[in-house]
Amino acid sequence: DVLVTPADSAWLIYAHSSQPLSEIIKVINKNSHNLYAETLIKTLGSVSNGYGSVSQGSEVERELAMEMGLGEVDLFDGCGLSRQNKVSPLQVVTLLRYMHQRPYWEAFYNSLAIAGVDGTLGGRLSRPDLYGRVYAKTGSIGGVSALSGYVMAKSGKMFAFSIMVNNTSRAKAARRVEDYICQLLIEYLG
């Protein structure tokens, strides 16, 4: 990371205001957009520590994780592609429960891909009885597949869940297992 400070003689050529975070997070969560995620972690570092880098943003994320009750987490990038990232399903469910209790819950919930409807889940869990009952974020990297979010059971109760499949050589099979678990949660919880 390199910090560049403009000379006293520099002048502003152009300034651009981004969309609000509630819109940016939709792109990240629904479509799993890695560039947006990496930019967001650098923005966290810049806003909180005055320096827009992945390392500063990761430090902010670690502090937030402790405040949320997740304990220690190892986060080394914004998009989840670093093999050094280490987060447990319990930590993810704790995060999801924490988010459900916040004033920005609705914006967060609406940022997640919807099963059978849009984003990375648009083609998954699309049976009429499952359609729209899972709001979640997908994650994948070689040998790993994950799905975490919320499921609305047929009982009418909502549950947070996190499924992480490691050491798999068959991503499609892992996604089928994730979908089957979601189907069981929808049908039998509550």
Side-chain angles (χ1 to χ4, degrees), residues 29-170:
N29 286 343
K30 282 190 183 287
N31 302 316
S32 204
H33 199 293
N34 293 338
L35 178 60
Y36 272 47
E38 286 300 309
T39 302
L40 183 58
I41 196 170
K42 291 178 182 180
T43 301
L44 277 175
S46 177
V47 170
S48 296
N49 295 330
Y51 186 52
S53 68
V54 172
S55 61
Q56 288 297 311
S58 293
E59 185 59 36
V60 173
E61 283 185 335
R62 285 185 195 97
E63 291 169 12
L64 288 171
M66 290 299 279
E67 288 175 24
M68 293 176 174
L70 307 182
E72 290 189 29
V73 296
D74 291 326
L75 301 170
F76 292 89
D77 67 356
C79 65
L81 292 176
S82 172
R83 293 266 181 209
Q84 294 175 300
N85 292 330
K86 291 185 175 73
V87 179
S88 74
L90 178 58
Q91 288 173 312
V92 173
V93 169
T94 301
L95 168 70
L96 293 168
R97 292 179 67 209
Y98 176 90
M99 294 301 287
H100 186 259
Q101 301 163 357
R102 298 294 162 242
Y104 39 81
W105 153 250
E106 189 174 330
F108 174 71
Y109 184 68
N110 290 327
S111 77
L112 299 170
I114 306 169
V117 177
D118 64 12
T120 55
L121 293 179
R124 294 173 64 177
L125 297 159
S126 56
R127 281 186 3 209
D129 60 329
L130 306 176
Y131 180 88
R133 290 188 172 271
V134 176
Y135 281 58
K137 173 74 181 80
T138 60
S140 62
I141 187 171
V144 179
S145 181
L147 183 65
S148 300
Y150 305 93
V151 62
M152 181 62 72
K154 288 182 178 178
S155 68
K157 294 182 181 178
M158 179 183 289
F159 297 89
F161 72 92
S162 181
I163 305 164
M164 296 182 186
V165 181
N166 291 310
N167 299 319
T168 181
S169 59
R170 300 177 53 209

Side-chain angles (χ1 to χ4, degrees), residues 11-18:
W11 65 90
L12 180 64
I13 296 174
Y14 178 77
H16 173 76
S17 295
S18 69

